[in-house]
Amino acid sequence: MIVRAALLLILGILCIHAVSAAPGFTIEQALSAPFPDNLTVSPGHDAVAWVQDAAGVRNIRVAKAPDYRATQVTAFAEDDGQEISELVWSPDAARLFFTRGSGPNGRGEIPNPDSDPAGRHQEIWTVAFPDVARPNAAVKAADGHSAAVSPDGSTLTWIVNGQVWWMQLNHLDSKAGQLIHARGTASGLMWSPDGQHMAFVSGRGDHAFIGIYDARARSLRFLEPSVDTDQSPTWAPDGRQIAFIRRPASSEFEYGARPAGQPWSIHVANVESGASREVWRAYEGRGSVFRGIAGENQLFWRAGGALVFPWERDGWLHLWSIGMGVEKPVPMVLTPGNFEVEDVAAGTDGSLVFSSNQDDADRRHLWRTGVIGKPPQSLTPGQGIEWSPVTLKDGRVAFLHSDARRPARAALLESNGSSRDLAPDTIPGDFPAALLTEPQAVTITAADSMRVRGQLFLPPEGGAAKHPAVVFFHGGSRRQMLLGWHYMEYYDQAYGFNQYLASRGYVVLSVNYRSGIGYGLDFRETPHYGATGASEFNDVLGAAAFLRGRPDVDAARIGVWGGSYGGYLTALALARASDKFAVGVDLHGVHDWNLEVTSTAPARDREKRQAIEQLAFESSPMASISTWRSPVLLIQGDDDRTVVFAQTVQLTEALRKQGVHVEQLIFPDEIHEFLLHADWMKAYHAADDFLARYLEP
């Protein structure tokens, strides 16, 4: 009996160890929650709609007053790579238009990662809400994208091959026709409040105009055309004026730090006369180079004719206001402090609701502006992450939110300050929220003593005293990883994969390296980043030192992974520091900046051009192939429109010649941000397997 009891005890201990050593959830479970995006409010501010991507199956949900109970209004059922975007309401909120599909690449090819023999086209679809109970109620309205509905609901306009088309909405089967014939590529269609005019941006390559189409006279004119780039047309509430932003013509090197430059300006035009005037110009120095907020709207008209705009005058992206009744208006800051504003929505009461990282550098919360001179009002304090607010006519706010354990979802902020999810039933029952770790905010000292922030994911307690570790670098570089599920789908998935790696026994360090957002202009425009010196490599070395100095990390088993710009830093880490990083996974990374950067130095200035190209190469992983020793997995789609596929081709060839072990996972016809959920699963499973073979979690 004693022997039998001892055996049972040993078996019990072994079983407990086996359970604790096994991952608590799968990659599929970690990435099973649907991702909401494109939250859009109706013209009457009494309904909201959003796109929900559930494992690649994309559909639209709508919630209307008074109960705002979410209803799915489309019935797409396949992971077919067909994106849904650009939601547009009809004025009476009885119909919704949206774009289905992605645009062409430079050769005119539409992405087709699932090899559909019928091919793909970017299309305008619509759904009428009395019909939502019918299966397949959504129908195609036209080929093209960027729908815009006239204020009286009679006319639909959209864009096909850069040109503006139209049709009558009372007959969706009516003949469509080209409305405007003009050079350039049209974007940002915007009807005036009275429906008599339509504004748009006419992109001309190295410059852009604001076009105004007169629907009564059927005529087109451009406002104050110049060599500069005009953008963000915004109608005044009475429709008599339109404001826009002008960025001055520049041939400066695109990939270098630009803390200052030729100042941008705001112009206002009289619609009837076409006369335009500059009403305000940014000051020299900080904030002279325009940086916008998330979304198309960059200018907001307030009561009394005041204009609100984003500006980095104090080194942080804030909202500022100028009055229109004086000749030289003095800008007043609406959101002072060491934080950055992102999403902004106009309230029906004249206020503005926005998200920012005020008082919480590595999260986002919602705030409301008030009277100039008074601080903004906090709407969503706590440990969550909130973004994409839209205001409702009853004063409430709809938004998207997440936290460290619960993924992104749509919610409604009640008048008493509480919030409720609009579609709580969409989170799968086996989503492993309780098994996720709470990432810790950490500060890393870079090799040049600069301090950078990051998030540390620790594995479950127990197991080995020393763990393998993985460093993650986000893309962008104008991005910031947060202490929770991210507000962008690409990084939402990266966060989920980091959680999975931690559950497997890795210590995971996500680094918010220099040249990223969230920490002010000086951090973002740090000198010599990227193609002008790769100064972020100091942060790469700092991350390695941080992990190697931890007692719970095995210094011989540290890996690195990242995508896009993060793939660049992954390759740079392996090329320059194979003694510190044992293995890496590089998703569609940049390996030679000269394949991405075209020098804008004048052709006659040959020495300057050569110096730019030489520095770009020296800042690239390809320049350090001779010291690359660590194995690497390279992943990319061969229809990548962001990072040319030649980056992976050239690096693979060079590594093979060097004798470095390189594996590859190539997705035919897939783009940068993979369109098929199945391809993301293949990529993450391949990364998991590759890291495990070398780091042995």
Side-chain angles (χ1 to χ4, degrees), residues 104-374:
N105 60 19
R107 295 183 296 275
E109 300 166 339
I110 299 294
N112 188 20
D114 65 347
S115 301
D116 184 345
R120 295 297 188 201
H121 300 281
Q122 203 167 25
E123 302 167 338
I124 303 291
W125 283 61
T126 185
V127 58
F129 295 112
D131 297 334
V132 296
R134 294 190 300 107
N136 304 316
V139 296
K140 175 184 171 181
D143 289 327
H145 61 94
S146 303
V149 184
S150 62
D152 64 0
S154 66
T155 305
L156 175 71
T157 55
W158 70 96
I159 297 172
V160 180
N161 296 325
Q163 296 295 311
V164 182
W165 285 56
W166 77 288
M167 71 165 59
Q168 292 182 335
L169 269 182
N170 53 346
H171 300 291
L172 278 178
D173 57 351
S174 64
K175 185 177 179 181
Q178 187 170 338
L179 181 67
I180 299 173
H181 295 76
R183 289 186 62 247
T185 300
S187 64
L189 306 182
M190 184 176 295
W191 285 92
S192 62
D194 60 8
Q196 300 302 312
H197 299 86
M198 185 177 64
F200 64 97
V201 177
S202 178
R204 305 295 180 98
D206 55 4
H207 62 287
F209 304 142
I210 301 299
I212 300 291
Y213 178 77
D214 188 325
R216 293 170 299 182
R218 297 185 179 181
S219 62
L220 172 68
R221 65 171 176 266
F222 297 103
L223 302 178
E224 196 184 349
S226 73
V227 300
D228 303 312
T229 297
D230 295 340
Q231 65 181 69
S232 306
T234 306
W235 291 100
D238 61 7
R240 297 177 180 177
Q241 297 184 96
I242 189 168
F244 60 92
I245 289 170
R246 170 161 290 178
R247 293 190 292 112
S250 174
S251 61
E252 296 183 27
F253 186 47
E254 182 181 356
Y255 280 75
R258 294 189 65 199
Q262 291 292 321
W264 62 281
S265 55
I266 299 175
H267 294 239
V268 172
N270 180 286
V271 177
E272 289 298 328
S273 67
S276 176
R277 63 188 178 95
E278 179 182 296
V279 298
W280 180 82
R281 177 178 289 266
Y283 303 159
E284 300 280 351
R286 282 181 169 180
S288 55
V289 176
F290 179 76
R291 181 189 168 212
I293 52 179
E296 292 185 1
N297 294 338
Q298 304 295 320
L299 298 172
F300 301 86
W301 292 86
R302 303 188 86 185
L307 272 173
V308 175
F309 55 92
W311 191 26
E312 289 186 293
R313 178 58 182 172
D314 58 0
W316 300 86
L317 188 62
H318 286 304
L319 295 178
W320 295 71
S321 178
I322 55 171
M324 300 297 292
V326 295
E327 186 173 342
K328 292 184 178 181
V330 177
M332 303 290 291
V333 63
L334 300 178
T335 59
N338 293 346
F339 60 90
E340 302 210 318
V341 170
E342 281 196 338
D343 306 307
V344 181
T348 55
D349 60 354
S351 66
L352 295 171
V353 177
F354 63 93
S355 67
S356 79
N357 60 350
Q358 181 175 355
D359 302 329
D360 200 349
D362 298 321
R363 294 187 179 91
R364 298 289 186 272
H365 299 300
L366 301 185
W367 301 74
R368 190 193 302 272
T369 63
V371 180
I372 293 176
K374 292 187 178 181

Side-chain angles (χ1 to χ4, degrees), residues 549-567:
R550 289 183 61 88
D552 57 351
V553 170
D554 182 348
R557 292 189 292 159
I558 298 178
V560 57
W561 85 280
S564 195
Y565 207 105

Side-chain angles (χ1 to χ4, degrees), residues 397-422:
V397 177
F399 60 100
L400 304 177
H401 71 147
S402 69
D403 54 40
R405 297 181 185 273
R406 293 174 296 173
R409 54 216 188 272
L412 184 66
L413 183 65
E414 303 286 4
S415 55
N416 62 4
S418 65
S419 63
R420 66 175 176 89
D421 289 351
L422 297 180

